[in-house]
C-alpha cells in the first residue's frame, strides 16, 4: 500500500474509543412547547372536530339498524377538557395536592376533578345530543375511581351531559396492566346487558383496545399517554 493510500485509510478509520451516534429522543421541553402551540393554534380543536364528524356520521348511519344501539365515551380529553389543569402543570402529572392557584400550578389532578369545572368539548356534546335523539344509549367509561363519582356526575351534568345510560368508574384500589383491560371488560358487560355498541370514542389507544364495539374513534391527544 502506498503512503498516500495508507494515510487515507487511517483518516477514514473510526477513532479508537469513538462513540457511535445514537438516536436521541425528542427533547421534553420542546415537546411541551409544541403541544401547547398545537392547542393554542386551533389545530387541536379542528382535528378533534374532524374525528367527531366521522363518528357522528357513523352513529347516525348505524343507529336505526341494530337493536338497542349504544355509544361508549371516555371522559377526560374526550367528553371533558382538563386544559386548565394540564396547562398549569406544564403537562406534568400530580395525582394529589391542592389546586387553588389557577392559572398557576401545581394543580393536583384529583383536586381539579373535585372542582367539577372541566368544560365539555362542544363537538362531543353535539354528538352526544344527536345520539340520544336517535335513541342511542350513551355510557361513560372512565379511568377515574369510584370515590370520584359524585364530582364526576356533577361535572358532566353542569357541562351539558344529561340522561346518560350509565357511568362506569374504576373500583377504588383496583389496578390493571393496561387501562384497556378494565375498559374492554366494562364494554363487554354493557353488551352482556343487551346493548349493541356501535361506537367507542376515546383519546387513548387503550380506550379502544380490546374489542366490544363495532368501531373505535381515536381523538388527538399529544398531552399525555395512558397505557
Amino acid at each position: 500500500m502506498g503512503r498516500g493510500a495508507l494515510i487515507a485509510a487511517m483518516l477514514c478509520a473510526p477513532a479508537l474509543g469513538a462513540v457511535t451516534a445514537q438516536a436521541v429522543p425528542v427533547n421534553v421541553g420542546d415537546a411541551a412547547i409544541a403541544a401547547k402551540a398545537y392547542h393554542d393554534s386551533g389545530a387541536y380543536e379542528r382535528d378533534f372536530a374532524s374525528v367527531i364528524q366521522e363518528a357522528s356520521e357513523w352513529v347516525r348511519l348505524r343507529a336505526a339498524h341494530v337493536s338497542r344501539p349504544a355509544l361508549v365515551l371516555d371522559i377526560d380529553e374526550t367528553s371533558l377538557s382538563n386544559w386548565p389543569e394540564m396547562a398549569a402543570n406544564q403537562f406534568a402529572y400530580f395525582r394529589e395536592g391542592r389546586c387553588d392557584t389557577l392559572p398557576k400550578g401545581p394543580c393536583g389532578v384529583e383536586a381539579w376533578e373535585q372542582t367539577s369545572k372541566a368544560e365539555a368539548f362542544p363537538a362531543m356534546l353535539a354528538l352526544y345530543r344527536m345520539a340520544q335523539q336517535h335513541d342511542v344509549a350513551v355510557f361513560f367509561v372512565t379511568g377515574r375511581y369510584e370515590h370520584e363519582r359524585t364530582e364526576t356526575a356533577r361535572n358532566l351534568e353542569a357541562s351539558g351531559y344529561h340522561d346518560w345510560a350509565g357511568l362506569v368508574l374504576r373500583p377504588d384500589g383496583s389496578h390493571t396492566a393496561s387501562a384497556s383491560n378494565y375498559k374492554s371488560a366494562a364494554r363487554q358487560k354493557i353488551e352482556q346487558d343487551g346493548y349493541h355498541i356501535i361506537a367507542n370514542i376515546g383519546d387513548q389507544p387503550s380506550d379502544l383496545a380490546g374489542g366490544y364495539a363495532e368501531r373505535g374513534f381515536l381523538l388527538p391527544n399529544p398531552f399525555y399517554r395512558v397505557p
Side-chain angles (χ1 to χ4, degrees):
M1 178 184 292
R3 183 178 179 185
L6 177 61
I7 293 174
M10 292 174 64
L11 291 174
C12 291
L16 183 64
V19 177
T20 303
Q22 301 291 327
V24 179
V26 175
N27 182 276
V28 174
D30 291 342
I33 292 171
K36 187 174 187 303
Y38 175 62
H39 175 275
D40 294 349
S41 69
Y44 171 55
E45 184 177 359
R46 289 193 299 272
D47 291 346
F48 189 103
S50 178
V51 176
I52 295 302
Q53 180 178 354
E54 182 181 0
S56 298
E57 292 171 355
W58 173 254
V59 170
R60 189 178 293 109
L61 173 69
R62 290 294 294 151
H65 297 283
V66 300
S67 175
R68 301 188 75 191
L71 168 66
V72 171
L73 303 178
D74 173 51
I75 291 182
D76 297 300
E77 275 53 71
T78 297
S79 304
L80 298 176
S81 171
N82 298 301
W83 181 253
E85 172 263 314
M86 292 190 294
N89 292 333
Q90 299 181 50
F91 307 110
Y93 182 84
F94 303 100
R95 184 73 195 173
E96 300 177 349
R98 300 175 66 176
C99 183
D100 54 4
T101 59
L102 291 174
K104 297 180 180 180
C107 175
V109 171
E110 287 205 4
W112 161 252
E113 292 173 353
Q114 288 167 6
T115 67
S116 301
K117 292 182 178 179
E119 296 183 355
F121 289 96
M124 181 59 81
L125 187 55
L127 167 58
Y128 180 91
R129 290 170 174 168
M130 180 277 291
Q132 289 184 321
Q133 290 170 358
H134 285 76
D135 297 321
V136 177
V138 184
F139 292 83
F140 292 102
V141 177
T142 175
R144 295 187 185 192
Y145 284 92
E146 184 62 40
H147 68 267
E148 298 179 272
R149 176 174 293 276
T150 298
E151 294 82 3
T152 299
R154 181 168 61 237
N155 198 161
L156 289 169
E157 289 275 0
S159 60
Y161 296 103
H162 304 293
D163 303 319
W164 55 78
L167 172 58
V168 183
L169 296 96
R170 182 187 287 271
D172 289 337
S174 67
H175 298 282
T176 55
S178 169
S180 65
N181 300 121
Y182 151 70
K183 292 199 167 188
S184 62
R187 294 194 302 274
Q188 181 183 26
K189 175 63 166 55
I190 291 170
E191 293 206 332
Q192 288 174 342
D193 288 341
Y195 292 94
H196 185 104
I197 300 174
I198 58 176
N200 175 30
I201 307 177
D203 64 293
Q204 303 289 323
S206 56
D207 292 332
L208 309 183
Y212 300 105
E214 281 192 0
R215 286 190 63 180
F217 296 87
L218 181 64
L219 296 163
N221 183 354
F223 313 121
Y224 60 83
R225 175 67 72 225
V226 178

